[in-house]
Amino acid sequence: MNRKVTVVGGAGNVGATVARGIADKQLADVVVIDIADQKAAGVALDMLEACPISGSDSRVMGTGDYAESANSDIVVITSGVPRKPGMSRDDLLNVNYKIMQQVTEQVVKHSPNCILIVVSNPLDAMVFVAKQVTGFPRERVIGSAGVLDSARFRTYLAMAAGVSVEDVQAMVLGAHTDKDMVPIVSAAMIGNVPVAKFLSPEKLQEVVESTKKGGATLTGLIGTSAWQAPGAGTALMVEAIVRNQGRVVPCTVELHGEFGVKDAFAGVPVKLSARGAERIYEIELSAAEKEAFTKAVAANTELMNIARGFLG
Ligand code: NAD
Protein backbone atom coordinates (compact mmCIF):
# COMPACT_ATOMS: atom_id res chain seq x y z
CA MET A 1 0.00 0.00 0.00
CA ASN A 2 1.21 3.50 -0.80
CA ARG A 3 2.12 5.93 1.94
CA LYS A 4 -0.46 8.60 2.61
CA VAL A 5 0.24 12.26 3.30
CA THR A 6 -2.51 14.77 4.06
CA VAL A 7 -2.00 18.49 3.57
CA VAL A 8 -4.50 20.61 5.53
CA GLY A 9 -4.78 24.06 3.97
CA GLY A 10 -3.65 22.38 0.76
CA ALA A 11 -5.78 24.59 -1.50
CA GLY A 12 -3.61 27.55 -0.45
CA ASN A 13 -0.25 28.65 -1.78
CA VAL A 14 2.15 26.84 0.55
CA GLY A 15 -0.02 23.73 0.96
CA ALA A 16 -0.50 23.24 -2.77
CA THR A 17 3.24 23.61 -3.32
CA VAL A 18 3.99 20.95 -0.68
CA ALA A 19 1.36 18.62 -2.15
CA ARG A 20 2.75 19.07 -5.66
CA GLY A 21 6.30 18.39 -4.38
CA ILE A 22 5.13 15.12 -2.81
CA ALA A 23 3.12 13.98 -5.83
CA ASP A 24 5.84 14.94 -8.34
CA LYS A 25 8.35 12.67 -6.61
CA GLN A 26 5.73 9.96 -5.97
CA LEU A 27 6.57 10.01 -2.27
CA ALA A 28 3.00 9.13 -1.28
CA ASP A 29 -0.67 9.42 -2.15
CA VAL A 30 -1.84 12.89 -1.23
CA VAL A 31 -5.08 14.10 0.35
CA VAL A 32 -5.60 17.85 0.07
CA ILE A 33 -7.94 19.11 2.78
CA ASP A 34 -9.19 22.67 2.96
CA ILE A 35 -12.12 24.59 4.36
CA ALA A 36 -12.45 25.77 0.75
CA ASP A 37 -13.46 22.22 -0.19
CA GLN A 38 -14.32 22.83 -3.83
CA LYS A 39 -11.04 24.60 -4.42
CA ALA A 40 -9.29 21.68 -2.70
CA ALA A 41 -10.97 19.26 -5.12
CA GLY A 42 -9.91 21.39 -8.09
CA VAL A 43 -6.34 21.97 -6.95
CA ALA A 44 -5.96 18.21 -6.33
CA LEU A 45 -7.40 17.28 -9.73
CA ASP A 46 -5.03 19.71 -11.44
CA MET A 47 -2.11 18.06 -9.60
CA LEU A 48 -3.33 14.57 -10.46
CA GLU A 49 -3.37 15.58 -14.11
CA ALA A 50 0.25 16.78 -13.81
CA CYS A 51 1.32 13.30 -12.64
CA PRO A 52 1.37 11.68 -16.11
CA ILE A 53 3.72 14.48 -17.15
CA SER A 54 6.07 14.17 -14.17
CA GLY A 55 5.94 10.36 -14.41
CA SER A 56 4.31 9.84 -11.04
CA ASP A 57 1.67 7.31 -10.01
CA SER A 58 0.67 9.18 -6.83
CA ARG A 59 -3.05 9.45 -6.28
CA VAL A 60 -4.12 12.97 -5.34
CA MET A 61 -7.58 13.96 -4.13
CA GLY A 62 -9.04 17.06 -2.52
CA THR A 63 -11.93 17.51 -0.10
CA GLY A 64 -13.16 19.23 3.04
CA ASP A 65 -13.90 15.90 4.71
CA TYR A 66 -11.31 14.67 7.22
CA ALA A 67 -12.58 11.09 6.90
CA GLU A 68 -10.60 10.93 3.64
CA SER A 69 -7.43 11.67 5.57
CA ALA A 70 -7.84 8.60 7.82
CA ASN A 71 -4.64 6.78 8.74
CA SER A 72 -2.28 9.23 7.11
CA ASP A 73 1.42 8.58 7.79
CA ILE A 74 2.17 12.30 7.76
CA VAL A 75 -0.12 15.33 8.09
CA VAL A 76 1.21 18.72 7.01
CA ILE A 77 -0.69 21.74 8.36
CA THR A 78 -0.53 24.95 6.36
CA SER A 79 -4.06 26.17 7.11
CA GLY A 80 -4.35 29.72 8.36
CA VAL A 81 -3.93 33.28 7.33
CA PRO A 82 -0.64 34.42 5.76
CA ARG A 83 0.88 37.80 6.61
CA LYS A 84 0.39 40.86 4.46
CA PRO A 85 2.94 43.64 3.96
CA GLY A 86 3.72 45.39 7.24
CA MET A 87 2.50 42.50 9.43
CA SER A 88 4.76 40.46 11.66
CA ARG A 89 4.27 36.69 11.89
CA ASP A 90 3.26 37.18 15.53
CA ASP A 91 0.29 39.32 14.42
CA LEU A 92 -1.28 36.11 13.13
CA LEU A 93 -1.49 34.39 16.51
CA ASN A 94 -5.10 35.34 17.39
CA VAL A 95 -6.57 34.03 14.15
CA ASN A 96 -4.32 31.09 13.46
CA TYR A 97 -4.31 29.48 16.90
CA LYS A 98 -8.07 28.81 16.60
CA ILE A 99 -7.62 27.26 13.17
CA MET A 100 -4.69 25.17 14.44
CA GLN A 101 -6.74 23.95 17.39
CA GLN A 102 -9.73 22.92 15.22
CA VAL A 103 -7.56 21.27 12.59
CA THR A 104 -5.37 19.28 14.98
CA GLU A 105 -8.45 17.98 16.82
CA GLN A 106 -9.67 16.51 13.51
CA VAL A 107 -6.25 15.23 12.54
CA VAL A 108 -5.66 13.33 15.77
CA LYS A 109 -9.15 11.80 15.54
CA HIS A 110 -8.55 10.36 12.07
CA SER A 111 -4.78 9.75 12.08
CA PRO A 112 -3.75 9.10 15.69
CA ASN A 113 -0.35 7.68 14.69
CA CYS A 114 0.72 10.27 12.14
CA ILE A 115 3.75 12.53 12.19
CA LEU A 116 2.65 16.17 12.15
CA ILE A 117 4.55 18.85 10.25
CA VAL A 118 3.36 22.33 11.20
CA VAL A 119 3.91 25.22 8.80
CA SER A 120 1.33 27.87 9.82
CA ASN A 121 2.57 31.04 11.53
CA PRO A 122 3.53 32.17 14.09
CA LEU A 123 5.39 28.92 13.62
CA ASP A 124 6.98 28.24 16.99
CA ALA A 125 3.74 28.93 18.91
CA MET A 126 1.71 26.88 16.41
CA VAL A 127 3.98 23.85 17.01
CA PHE A 128 3.23 24.27 20.72
CA VAL A 129 -0.55 24.40 20.06
CA ALA A 130 -0.39 21.29 17.86
CA LYS A 131 1.61 19.43 20.50
CA GLN A 132 -0.79 20.42 23.29
CA VAL A 133 -3.93 19.48 21.38
CA THR A 134 -2.64 16.14 20.04
CA GLY A 135 -0.65 15.04 23.07
CA PHE A 136 1.79 13.45 20.59
CA PRO A 137 5.39 12.86 21.68
CA ARG A 138 7.78 15.55 20.49
CA GLU A 139 9.23 13.26 17.81
CA ARG A 140 5.89 13.49 16.00
CA VAL A 141 5.24 17.26 16.13
CA ILE A 142 7.74 19.09 13.96
CA GLY A 143 7.78 22.71 12.80
CA SER A 144 8.90 23.63 9.29
CA ALA A 145 10.85 26.88 9.03
CA GLY A 146 14.54 26.07 9.49
CA VAL A 147 14.96 24.48 6.06
CA LEU A 148 13.46 27.61 4.48
CA ASP A 149 15.36 30.16 6.57
CA SER A 150 18.60 28.22 6.01
CA ALA A 151 17.97 28.13 2.25
CA ARG A 152 17.59 31.92 2.32
CA PHE A 153 20.81 32.25 4.37
CA ARG A 154 22.64 29.96 1.90
CA THR A 155 21.31 31.94 -1.06
CA TYR A 156 22.49 35.29 0.34
CA LEU A 157 25.89 33.81 1.30
CA ALA A 158 26.38 32.36 -2.20
CA MET A 159 25.44 35.68 -3.85
CA ALA A 160 27.76 37.69 -1.58
CA ALA A 161 30.71 35.32 -1.99
CA GLY A 162 30.10 34.70 -5.70
CA VAL A 163 30.12 30.90 -5.30
CA SER A 164 27.77 28.04 -6.10
CA VAL A 165 25.03 27.69 -3.51
CA GLU A 166 25.56 23.93 -3.76
CA ASP A 167 28.77 24.30 -1.76
CA VAL A 168 27.28 26.54 0.93
CA GLN A 169 26.39 24.80 4.17
CA ALA A 170 24.69 27.05 6.67
CA MET A 171 21.77 26.95 9.06
CA VAL A 172 19.36 29.20 10.91
CA LEU A 173 18.21 28.26 14.41
CA GLY A 174 16.07 29.87 17.14
CA ALA A 175 12.75 31.49 16.23
CA HIS A 176 10.97 31.86 12.87
CA THR A 177 10.67 35.64 13.23
CA ASP A 178 12.54 38.50 11.56
CA LYS A 179 13.75 39.69 14.94
CA ASP A 180 14.78 36.46 16.59
CA MET A 181 15.97 34.01 13.97
CA VAL A 182 19.64 33.17 14.49
CA PRO A 183 21.74 32.59 11.35
CA ILE A 184 24.71 30.58 12.65
CA VAL A 185 27.71 32.31 11.06
CA SER A 186 30.21 30.49 13.28
CA ALA A 187 29.34 27.12 11.69
CA ALA A 188 28.68 28.32 8.12
CA MET A 189 31.02 26.84 5.53
CA ILE A 190 31.68 27.15 1.82
CA GLY A 191 33.28 24.00 0.41
CA ASN A 192 34.37 23.03 3.94
CA VAL A 193 36.12 26.39 4.40
CA PRO A 194 34.72 28.79 7.06
CA VAL A 195 32.74 31.68 5.54
CA ALA A 196 34.98 34.21 7.28
CA LYS A 197 37.65 33.34 4.66
CA PHE A 198 35.30 34.59 1.93
CA LEU A 199 33.50 37.56 3.45
CA SER A 200 34.43 40.45 5.77
CA PRO A 201 32.60 40.80 9.11
CA GLU A 202 30.64 43.73 7.60
CA LYS A 203 29.57 41.70 4.55
CA LEU A 204 28.62 38.77 6.79
CA GLN A 205 26.48 41.09 8.91
CA GLU A 206 24.72 42.30 5.75
CA VAL A 207 24.02 38.68 4.78
CA VAL A 208 22.62 37.98 8.26
CA GLU A 209 20.32 41.02 8.05
CA SER A 210 19.09 40.09 4.55
CA THR A 211 18.35 36.56 5.78
CA LYS A 212 16.41 37.78 8.80
CA LYS A 213 14.19 40.04 6.73
CA GLY A 214 14.02 37.55 3.83
CA GLY A 215 10.34 36.75 4.39
CA ALA A 216 9.35 40.42 4.77
CA THR A 217 11.23 41.31 1.57
CA LEU A 218 9.16 38.77 -0.35
CA THR A 219 5.90 39.77 1.32
CA GLY A 220 6.63 43.36 0.25
CA LEU A 221 7.33 42.30 -3.35
CA ILE A 222 4.51 39.76 -3.80
CA GLY A 223 1.85 41.28 -1.54
CA THR A 224 1.42 38.03 0.42
CA SER A 225 3.82 35.62 2.02
CA ALA A 226 6.10 33.49 -0.17
CA TRP A 227 5.30 29.87 -1.05
CA GLN A 228 7.83 28.35 -3.46
CA ALA A 229 10.74 27.96 -1.04
CA PRO A 230 8.47 27.30 1.99
CA GLY A 231 6.70 24.55 0.03
CA ALA A 232 9.94 23.03 -1.24
CA GLY A 233 11.44 23.04 2.27
CA THR A 234 8.43 21.25 3.73
CA ALA A 235 8.38 18.70 0.89
CA LEU A 236 12.05 17.99 1.67
CA MET A 237 11.05 17.19 5.27
CA VAL A 238 8.28 14.85 4.07
CA GLU A 239 10.75 13.07 1.80
CA ALA A 240 13.28 12.65 4.62
CA ILE A 241 10.59 10.97 6.75
CA VAL A 242 8.94 8.86 4.02
CA ARG A 243 12.30 7.60 2.74
CA ASN A 244 13.80 7.27 6.23
CA GLN A 245 16.76 9.33 5.01
CA GLY A 246 18.18 10.49 8.33
CA ARG A 247 18.69 13.99 6.96
CA VAL A 248 19.98 16.55 9.47
CA VAL A 249 18.15 19.86 9.03
CA PRO A 250 16.95 22.61 11.36
CA CYS A 251 13.37 22.03 12.56
CA THR A 252 11.30 23.46 15.39
CA VAL A 253 10.72 20.99 18.22
CA GLU A 254 10.11 20.97 21.94
CA LEU A 255 13.38 21.06 23.84
CA HIS A 256 13.92 18.74 26.80
CA GLY A 257 17.13 20.20 28.15
CA GLU A 258 19.04 20.48 24.87
CA PHE A 259 20.88 23.81 24.51
CA GLY A 260 20.10 24.27 28.23
CA VAL A 261 16.39 24.77 27.46
CA LYS A 262 13.42 22.83 28.86
CA ASP A 263 9.71 22.85 27.94
CA ALA A 264 10.13 25.48 25.25
CA PHE A 265 10.24 25.39 21.45
CA ALA A 266 13.00 26.46 19.08
CA GLY A 267 14.61 25.64 15.76
CA VAL A 268 17.54 23.24 16.30
CA PRO A 269 19.45 20.70 14.18
CA VAL A 270 17.28 17.57 13.95
CA LYS A 271 17.74 14.13 12.38
CA LEU A 272 14.60 13.36 10.34
CA SER A 273 13.83 9.69 9.82
CA ALA A 274 10.82 7.36 9.69
CA ARG A 275 10.38 8.06 13.41
CA GLY A 276 10.08 11.80 12.81
CA ALA A 277 12.40 14.08 14.78
CA GLU A 278 14.55 11.15 15.85
CA ARG A 279 17.43 13.05 17.38
CA ILE A 280 18.51 16.58 18.25
CA TYR A 281 22.11 17.67 17.90
CA GLU A 282 23.60 20.29 20.18
CA ILE A 283 26.31 22.42 18.64
CA GLU A 284 28.76 24.99 19.96
CA LEU A 285 27.55 28.55 19.41
CA SER A 286 29.58 31.76 19.63
CA ALA A 287 28.83 34.00 22.64
CA ALA A 288 26.72 36.35 20.48
CA GLU A 289 24.81 33.44 18.92
CA LYS A 290 24.18 31.93 22.37
CA GLU A 291 22.73 35.22 23.54
CA ALA A 292 20.56 35.53 20.42
CA PHE A 293 19.36 31.92 20.81
CA THR A 294 18.39 32.60 24.44
CA LYS A 295 16.42 35.67 23.30
CA ALA A 296 14.70 33.61 20.60
CA VAL A 297 13.61 30.98 23.13
CA ALA A 298 12.29 33.72 25.42
CA ALA A 299 10.28 35.28 22.55
CA ASN A 300 8.87 31.87 21.60
CA THR A 301 7.96 31.17 25.22
CA GLU A 302 6.16 34.50 25.55
CA LEU A 303 3.98 33.69 22.54
CA MET A 304 3.54 30.10 23.72
CA ASN A 305 2.21 31.38 27.04
CA ILE A 306 -0.31 33.63 25.28
CA ALA A 307 -1.45 30.61 23.23
CA ARG A 308 -1.61 28.53 26.44
CA GLY A 309 -3.98 31.14 27.85
CA PHE A 310 -6.21 30.85 24.76
CA LEU A 311 -6.27 27.06 25.04
CA GLY A 312 -7.35 27.31 28.68
P1 NAD B 1 -3.10 30.79 1.84
O1 NAD B 1 -4.11 31.79 2.27
O2 NAD B 1 -2.70 30.74 0.41
O3 NAD B 1 -3.58 29.32 2.27
C1 NAD B 1 -4.14 29.04 3.51
C2 NAD B 1 -5.23 27.99 3.29
O4 NAD B 1 -5.75 27.61 4.57
C3 NAD B 1 -6.42 28.52 2.46
O5 NAD B 1 -6.62 27.68 1.34
C4 NAD B 1 -7.58 28.47 3.44
O6 NAD B 1 -8.83 28.18 2.82
C5 NAD B 1 -7.13 27.36 4.38
N1 NAD B 1 -7.83 27.38 5.67
C6 NAD B 1 -8.12 28.45 6.47
N2 NAD B 1 -8.79 28.04 7.57
C7 NAD B 1 -8.89 26.70 7.48
C8 NAD B 1 -9.48 25.70 8.32
N3 NAD B 1 -10.06 26.01 9.47
N4 NAD B 1 -9.40 24.40 7.91
C9 NAD B 1 -8.82 24.08 6.74
N5 NAD B 1 -8.26 24.97 5.91
C10 NAD B 1 -8.29 26.26 6.27
O7 NAD B 1 -1.81 31.03 2.76
P2 NAD B 1 -0.32 30.48 2.52
O8 NAD B 1 0.49 31.52 1.86
O9 NAD B 1 -0.40 29.11 1.92
O10 NAD B 1 0.20 30.40 4.04
C11 NAD B 1 -0.33 29.43 4.91
C12 NAD B 1 0.29 29.57 6.30
O11 NAD B 1 1.68 29.21 6.23
C13 NAD B 1 0.26 30.99 6.87
O12 NAD B 1 0.01 30.94 8.26
C14 NAD B 1 1.66 31.51 6.60
O13 NAD B 1 2.04 32.54 7.47
C15 NAD B 1 2.46 30.25 6.82
N6 NAD B 1 3.80 30.21 6.24
C16 NAD B 1 4.77 29.60 6.97
C17 NAD B 1 6.04 29.48 6.48
C18 NAD B 1 7.12 28.76 7.29
O14 NAD B 1 8.26 28.77 6.91
N7 NAD B 1 6.77 28.13 8.40
C19 NAD B 1 6.36 30.03 5.23
C20 NAD B 1 5.33 30.65 4.50
C21 NAD B 1 4.05 30.73 5.00
Side-chain angles (χ1 to χ4, degrees):
M1 208 167 68
N2 286 349
R3 302 286 185 130
K4 184 170 176 181
V5 177
T6 289
V7 183
V8 184
N13 286 336
V14 178
T17 311
V18 179
R20 176 81 202 273
I22 296 166
D24 261 357
K25 285 196 168 179
Q26 205 180 314
L27 298 175
D29 290 340
V30 185
V31 179
V32 172
I33 296 221
D34 204 288
I35 199 164
D37 54 351
Q38 209 177 321
K39 188 174 174 195
V43 164
L45 180 60
D46 192 20
M47 262 178 238
L48 185 67
E49 290 169 355
C51 284
I53 300 167
S54 56
S56 162
D57 265 329
S58 282
R59 283 169 296 189
V60 190
M61 65 94 61
T63 176
D65 181 1
Y66 282 84
E68 296 289 351
S69 74
N71 300 318
S72 291
D73 298 287
I74 300 174
V75 177
V76 177
I77 303 180
T78 67
S79 50
V81 176
R83 64 179 170 157
K84 298 287 174 213
M87 283 173 96
S88 81
R89 294 179 180 95
D90 295 357
D91 293 335
L92 303 172
L93 181 66
N94 286 343
V95 185
N96 283 352
Y97 105 90
K98 275 196 205 108
I99 296 175
M100 185 57 65
Q101 186 182 19
Q102 289 163 2
V103 164
T104 40
E105 277 168 6
Q106 291 299 317
V107 166
V108 74
K109 199 164 119 192
H110 291 91
S111 302
N113 300 314
C114 73
I115 292 172
L116 266 183
I117 300 180
V118 175
V119 187
S120 314
N121 277 319
L123 192 269
D124 308 271
M126 289 300 114
V127 182
F128 161 75
V129 173
K131 183 154 189 320
Q132 285 295 106
V133 174
T134 59
F136 285 0
R138 70 147 169 194
E139 290 77 16
R140 293 203 281 127
V141 188
I142 312 166
S144 167
V147 177
L148 166 69
D149 294 332
S150 303
R152 287 180 176 154
F153 187 25
R154 290 173 59 202
T155 303
Y156 283 116
L157 280 169
M159 288 194 296
V163 299
S164 164
V165 76
E166 256 192 85
D167 294 321
V168 181
Q169 276 215 314
M171 65 185 157
V172 175
L173 306 181
H176 182 53
T177 64
D178 304 3
K179 210 163 92 238
D180 288 314
M181 70 175 70
V182 190
I184 307 297
V185 173
S186 65
M189 303 282 234
I190 298 175
N192 292 314
V193 178
V195 285
K197 295 274 183 204
F198 294 80
L199 296 165
S200 66
E202 295 74 30
K203 273 273 164 225
L204 279 170
Q205 194 49 39
E206 276 175 33
V207 166
V208 164
E209 292 310 319
S210 301
T211 303
K212 290 173 78 166
K213 56 175 198 272
T217 300
L218 286 162
T219 304
L221 289 168
I222 305 174
T224 185
S225 94
W227 60 87
Q228 302 284 1
T234 306
L236 176 148
M237 292 168 67
V238 171
E239 182 172 15
I241 295 168
V242 167
R243 299 204 159 135
N244 193 21
Q245 286 174 325
R247 292 204 62 171
V248 180
V249 289
C251 302
T252 300
V253 290
E254 187 178 61
L255 297 178
H256 294 173
E258 298 87 357
F259 291 88
V261 177
K262 253 193 171 156
D263 302 325
F265 291 75
V268 290
V270 165
K271 178 181 174 186
L272 284 182
S273 69
R275 287 172 50 199
E278 185 187 318
R279 198 173 156 191
I280 291 167
Y281 297 93
E282 288 186 70
I283 59 159
E284 279 299 314
L285 302 175
S286 71
E289 288 162 357
K290 225 179 255 179
E291 195 185 322
F293 186 83
T294 304
K295 264 184 67 199
V297 170
N300 287 348
T301 303
E302 199 182 318
L303 224 52
M304 177 178 98
N305 285 334
I306 298 173
R308 200 196 297 277
F310 289 152
L311 285 168

